[in-house]
Amino acid sequence: DGGRAMRLFMEEVNTFTGKHRDNEAMQPYTKPLRDGVKALEASTMWLVQNGMANPDNAGAASTDFMHLMGLVALGYMWGLMAEKSLEALKEGANGKTSFHENKLATARFYFQRVMPEAGAHLARIQSGADSLMAMDAEAF
């Protein structure tokens, strides 16, 4: 379907981050998520351009693309949880202040320590298949 599902997913995440563009409290969550989506978009475009021309490129990128997609999808979930926890804290948290503060701390950890892996996955995807395919099959 020409990547329709991927486009819809990235559009949904971009809509979420765009909604919070001016929300200072959400910046620790949405800025890294935007960076992750940019890496996913760049990876998708690279695969469209290079995977068809050389199927080895698609195979070489597959694991990193899967991990990158997972990082962004989970990041989106953490962004949604951060949004809800910030709203709950603003409304008084109904005795669950600690719960929501811990959610936000975990989300910050994810975006500071895990989401930056998106850049490494993008770099590996864009490196292509040459180094993977350099040896003859008989060498194995």
Side-chain angles (χ1 to χ4, degrees):
D1 66 358
R4 182 175 175 264
M6 182 61 79
R7 277 194 314 274
L8 289 173
F9 172 73
M10 290 186 287
E11 191 176 293
E12 182 175 334
V13 178
N14 283 328
T15 298
F16 173 77
T17 60
K19 176 174 92 171
H20 294 292
R21 191 170 313 279
D22 297 325
N23 182 345
E24 190 67 32
M26 283 293 291
Q27 291 305 301
Y29 317 104
T30 56
K31 186 177 181 321
L33 182 55
R34 275 194 308 272
D35 293 342
V37 173
K38 287 178 187 175
L40 185 59
E41 289 169 341
S43 296
T44 302
M45 290 306 301
W46 190 90
L47 279 168
V48 167
Q49 294 169 354
N50 297 281
M52 298 284 282
N54 180 356
D56 289 339
N57 283 328
S62 61
T63 298
D64 283 295
F65 190 81
M66 177 185 65
H67 283 281
L68 178 53
M69 180 67 192
L71 284 171
V72 174
L74 189 54
Y76 180 39
M77 295 300 108
W78 275 113
L80 292 170
M81 287 186 273
E83 175 186 50
K84 296 303 179 195
S85 284
L86 286 169
E87 288 172 6
L89 288 170
K90 189 176 180 180
E91 295 169 3
N94 288 340
K96 295 184 178 182
T97 299
S98 159
F99 172 82
H100 291 292
E101 288 173 346
N102 288 333
K103 279 281 188 198
L104 293 171
T106 305
R108 279 191 304 275
F109 172 85
Y110 183 84
F111 286 112
Q112 289 176 357
R113 304 289 301 189
V114 180
M115 186 59 83
E117 293 174 16
H121 290 296
L122 172 60
R124 288 195 293 257
I125 289 166
Q126 292 177 332
S127 72
D130 292 345
S131 64
L132 288 171
M133 304 305 290
M135 294 176 67
D136 292 329
E138 295 80 36
F140 295 96

